[in-house]
Amino acid sequence: MATIFPCSTRVKAWAIGLAVVVFWVGLIVAAPLLQAEGINAVATPLYHFFGYICHQIPERSLHLAGHQLAVCSRCFGVYFGLAAGFVVYPLWRRVDEIEPLPRIWLILAILPITVDWSLTVFGIWENTHVSRFVTGTILGFACAVFIIPAIVEITRNLTLRNTRRT
C-alpha cells in the first residue's frame, strides 16, 4: 500500500490542511489589526464574513490592538485549538494513520464547553473569556485529531482512484 500512496502525498494532505487552518486563524486576527491601521476596506468584509459564523458580541470577544477579533473568544478558541491540533498531530501520531480514535474522546472534548455554556445559561456561574477560549481550544484540538485522518483517507482514496484509471 505504501508504494501506491507515497508518504509525501499524505504529508502534503496534512500540510495543506494545516495551511488552510492557519490561514483561517490569520484572517480572524487580521481583522482587528487591519481595522487598527485604518484599512477598513479589507477589515469590514472580514468582520461581515465571520458575522455569518459567529455572533461577534463585543463583550464576549477578545480584543487586539483595541478592536475585537472577527469571532468571539469561544469560536477563536475552537479555531486556535484546531490549528494547534494540526501542528501537534504529527508529533503525537503518524500522519498516515487513518484509523480514528474512539469517538468517546470527541464526546469528552465536548463536555467542558457544554458545562461552561450550561453553567452560564442556568445562572450558576458566569463564564469568562478565558473559560470560553480554553473550552473552545479543547474542542478544536480534538476535532483536528478526527479531521486529519479523514483528510488523509480522502486524499488516499482519490490517489488510488486516479492510479487505477491510468
Side-chain angles (χ1 to χ4, degrees):
M1 181 69 81
T3 57
I4 295 173
F5 188 55
C7 181
S8 62
T9 305
R10 293 173 276 196
V11 172
K12 284 179 189 175
W14 165 81
I16 290 169
L18 173 63
V20 168
V21 173
V22 168
F23 179 71
W24 186 266
V25 172
L27 290 175
I28 293 168
V29 173
L33 296 176
L34 291 167
Q35 193 170 39
E37 292 297 321
I39 308 172
N40 293 327
V42 180
T44 302
L46 283 175
Y47 280 111
H48 184 72
F49 170 75
F50 283 106
Y52 289 110
I53 299 167
C54 176
H55 58 69
Q56 297 177 323
I57 297 171
E59 300 81 34
R60 293 179 174 254
S61 300
L62 298 169
H63 288 69
L64 182 63
H67 300 278
Q68 77 181 63
L69 293 180
V71 295
C72 71
S73 55
R74 181 171 288 130
C75 288
F76 185 66
V78 170
Y79 299 130
F80 178 82
L82 192 60
F86 264 83
V87 169
V88 172
Y89 189 89
L91 302 173
W92 169 56
R93 196 170 186 215
R94 288 187 8 226
V95 172
D96 64 344
E97 179 62 49
I98 59 170
E99 187 65 34
L101 295 177
R103 282 186 220 131
I104 188 69
W105 292 110
L106 188 57
I107 292 167
L108 290 174
I110 293 170
L111 285 177
I113 205 167
T114 304
V115 169
D116 185 54
W117 177 83
S118 298
L119 291 176
T120 298
V121 166
F122 295 117
I124 298 168
W125 178 66
E126 184 62 33
N127 57 28
T128 65
H129 290 307
V130 173
S131 70
R132 290 183 210 115
F133 176 78
V134 169
T135 58
T137 300
I138 292 167
L139 180 58
F141 192 94
C143 287
V145 171
F146 286 86
I147 291 170
I148 293 168
I151 291 171
V152 171
E153 184 173 17
I154 290 167
T155 304
R156 184 193 69 164
N157 290 341
L158 290 174
T159 303
L160 289 173
R161 191 170 76 193
N162 290 339
T163 303
R164 288 182 189 141
R165 285 184 184 171
T166 56

